[in-house]
Amino acid sequence: MTDKKPSSEGLRGQVAGKTAICTVGKAGKGLTYRGYGIEDLARNTQFEEVAYLIMYGHLPNASELKLYQEKLRAMRVLPQPLIDTLERIPKETHPMEVMRTACSLLGNLEPEKEFSQQHEAANRLLASFPGIICYWYRYSHEGVRISVTNRESDNLGAYFLELLFDKVPSELHSRVMNVSFILYAEHEFNASTFTARICASTLSDIYSCITSAIGSLRGPLHGGANEEAMDMIDSFDSPQEAVEAIPKMIAEKKKIMGFGHAVYRKSDPRSAIIKTYARQLADEAGSSEIYDIAEAIEEVMWSTKELFPNADFFHAPAYKYMGLPTKLFTPLFVCGRTAGWAAHVFEQRSDNRIIRPAAEYTGPDLRKVKPIGER
Ligand code: COA
């Protein structure tokens, strides 16, 4: 068994508020969004149904879904000042910085003037994030100015692929993106969502809440882990090489990205779901090398340290098989998680008290300021 820290450091295990949106690893429930199990949602819904569920509280019926998808489609257009800015951001910039800047800029151009506009603002972000990041990526890397509006795909995941590759994705690729966005859509009081809630608790605007959440998600201990996991998998030429290297890395106290979790102790239910699709994509590609390395890492991590893959790990080979550049992996997480962040902002606002924990002081005792010449 792993040597888990029993302490409450990092607010581990402490209840920091109430939520009706999600359960994470609760006995008898597992991972649920508004009472629906993650496996059920991943198998039977589209991402837009899940986003609607999370943000409006119920699963849409057929006409509500149609209207919602039409609404999101109409919100894809990017304002010219945003396009101008995207064109000025250098190719070397990390795409999460592009997302953060674009979210903030949209808040300048289309501010949320009253909280009654919160759903509109959240939907605007949800609808425009794929266009924002793909527009910047294609312009900075290929010199191409893409159209973000004249696209066939209704589903946001498929739309992302269509923008990136200029073709409507296959059934399998659309399905994987759909499931991926569902898996990433919500996860209770994780670091980025808690960031959004703290910001919301000051009664700030929703663009500020989501901009700060993007900043939190970026780190490698949170959403950035899917990119780091891919870099690690890429660094091995064979499963055998990984099996030999990982125990050494563990012995050197290196973090193996895409493994472990702050709440789950035995497994992350999202991993098995995305792993199945990574396998299907490997079969489709007719080359299982990346998948085999990933699976070998999974096995050796369990046998060496009883650590299991979290949601990010098998996302890495799945995205790679679809041809997605590694640096776009974390922005894809943003595209899904925006639904969860927004719902938490709404929930925080609906019953708010400013979030302001206490700290245990470890600094010097009370002392006097010496005149500057005596210091
Ligand atoms: N690789 C190597 N060791 C790990 C590990 C990993 N991925 N995850 C946890 N451990 C180790 C910790 O270092 C700790 O050892 P220590 O007590 O000697 O310091 C021990 O296992 C117990 O850690 P735990 O309390 O379970 O983790 P945490 O709650 O402090 O941190 C994460 C949770 C997710 C931040 C951590 O598992 C991690 O850094 N994972 C890699 C990054 C990642 O995949 N993030 C995405 C999360 S969805």
Side-chain angles (χ1 to χ4, degrees), residues 3-4 12 221 253 255-259 265 307 310:
D3 38 353
K4 307 281 177 208
R12 198 69 77 254
L221 296 188
K253 295 262 171 215
K255 277 272 164 78
I256 311 301
M257 293 304 171
F259 282 84
R265 297 289 84 179
L307 280 171
N310 55 48

Side-chain angles (χ1 to χ4, degrees), residues 34-324:
R34 301 224 182 250
Y36 298 97
I38 192 66
E39 292 83 4
D40 195 5
L41 292 168
R43 200 177 310 115
N44 297 312
T45 63
Q46 297 181 51
F47 171 67
E48 287 73 13
E49 291 172 81
V50 170
Y52 189 101
L53 167 72
I54 293 172
M55 293 200 294
Y56 294 91
H58 67 275
L59 277 171
N61 61 28
S63 60
E64 284 170 328
L65 179 62
K66 186 166 175 290
L67 281 176
Y68 187 54
Q69 284 187 315
E70 282 167 9
K71 176 197 270 287
L72 291 179
R73 200 177 242 286
M75 288 177 155
R76 287 177 181 178
V77 64
L78 303 180
Q80 193 57 44
L82 177 54
I83 289 179
D84 294 343
T85 303
L86 291 173
E87 290 189 2
R88 290 199 180 118
I89 301 179
K91 181 183 173 183
E92 296 72 31
T93 307
H94 191 283
M96 285 297 279
E97 285 159 15
V98 180
M99 297 293 264
R100 193 187 61 211
T101 296
C103 181
S104 177
L105 182 57
L106 209 53
N108 286 240
L109 302 171
E110 301 170 7
E112 182 199 29
K113 295 198 177 103
E114 297 166 7
F115 288 175
S116 61
Q117 298 169 339
Q118 63 183 6
H119 285 82
E120 289 302 289
N123 286 325
R124 175 73 164 124
L125 286 171
L126 209 51
S128 56
F129 274 148
I132 285 171
I133 198 62
C134 289
Y135 187 94
W136 168 78
Y137 186 84
R138 300 276 318 265
Y139 183 80
S140 61
H141 288 67
E142 301 166 24
V144 180
R145 289 190 165 98
I146 59 167
S147 164
V148 296
T149 46
N150 297 321
R151 300 290 174 170
E152 281 184 39
S153 308
D154 276 330
N155 181 276
L156 278 169
Y159 171 59
F160 192 107
L161 293 180
E162 190 182 340
L163 290 173
L164 200 60
F165 301 124
D166 264 339
K167 63 173 196 228
V168 177
S170 69
E171 178 99 21
L172 176 61
H173 290 202
S174 298
R175 182 75 204 141
V176 177
M177 289 294 278
N178 184 62
V179 168
S180 167
F181 280 21
I182 290 173
L183 298 181
Y184 274 148
E186 163 58 8
H187 216 230
E188 201 223 40
F189 279 20
N190 57 84
S192 58
T193 303
F194 197 50
T195 303
R197 285 194 80 127
I198 291 171
C199 190
S201 83
T202 69
L203 302 183
S204 187
D205 70 293
I206 193 164
Y207 292 93
S208 297
C209 299
I210 296 196
T211 302
S212 45
I214 293 170
S216 282
L217 187 73
R218 191 211 156 145
L221 296 188
H222 192 7
N226 58 13
E227 293 177 34
E228 301 256 345
M230 192 65 245
D231 290 342
M232 179 185 63
I233 295 167
D234 273 339
S235 74
F236 301 121
D237 287 330
S238 68
Q240 189 52 33
E241 200 181 311
V243 166
E244 284 163 17
I246 295 285
K248 288 184 200 148
M249 291 164 75
I250 301 262
E252 288 163 13
K253 295 262 171 215
K254 287 196 179 137
K255 277 272 164 78
I256 311 301
M257 293 304 171
F259 282 84
H261 199 271
V263 179
Y264 299 123
R265 297 289 84 179
K266 296 264 176 233
S267 66
D268 179 334
R270 300 166 298 179
S271 178
I273 299 171
I274 196 65
K275 184 182 174 186
T276 306
Y277 285 104
R279 173 78 259 175
Q280 286 181 40
L281 290 162
D283 292 344
E284 180 202 53
S287 147
S288 64
E289 197 181 313
I290 299 168
Y291 181 86
D292 292 343
I293 294 173
E295 201 170 45
I297 297 173
E298 180 188 25
E299 282 163 19
V300 73
M301 281 298 286
W302 186 254
S303 60
T304 314
K305 198 140 163 91
E306 284 193 19
L307 280 171
F308 52 87
N310 55 48
D312 291 316
F313 188 68
F314 279 100
H315 260 102
Y319 284 165
K320 181 85 168 186
Y321 278 120
M322 290 191 289
L324 289 156

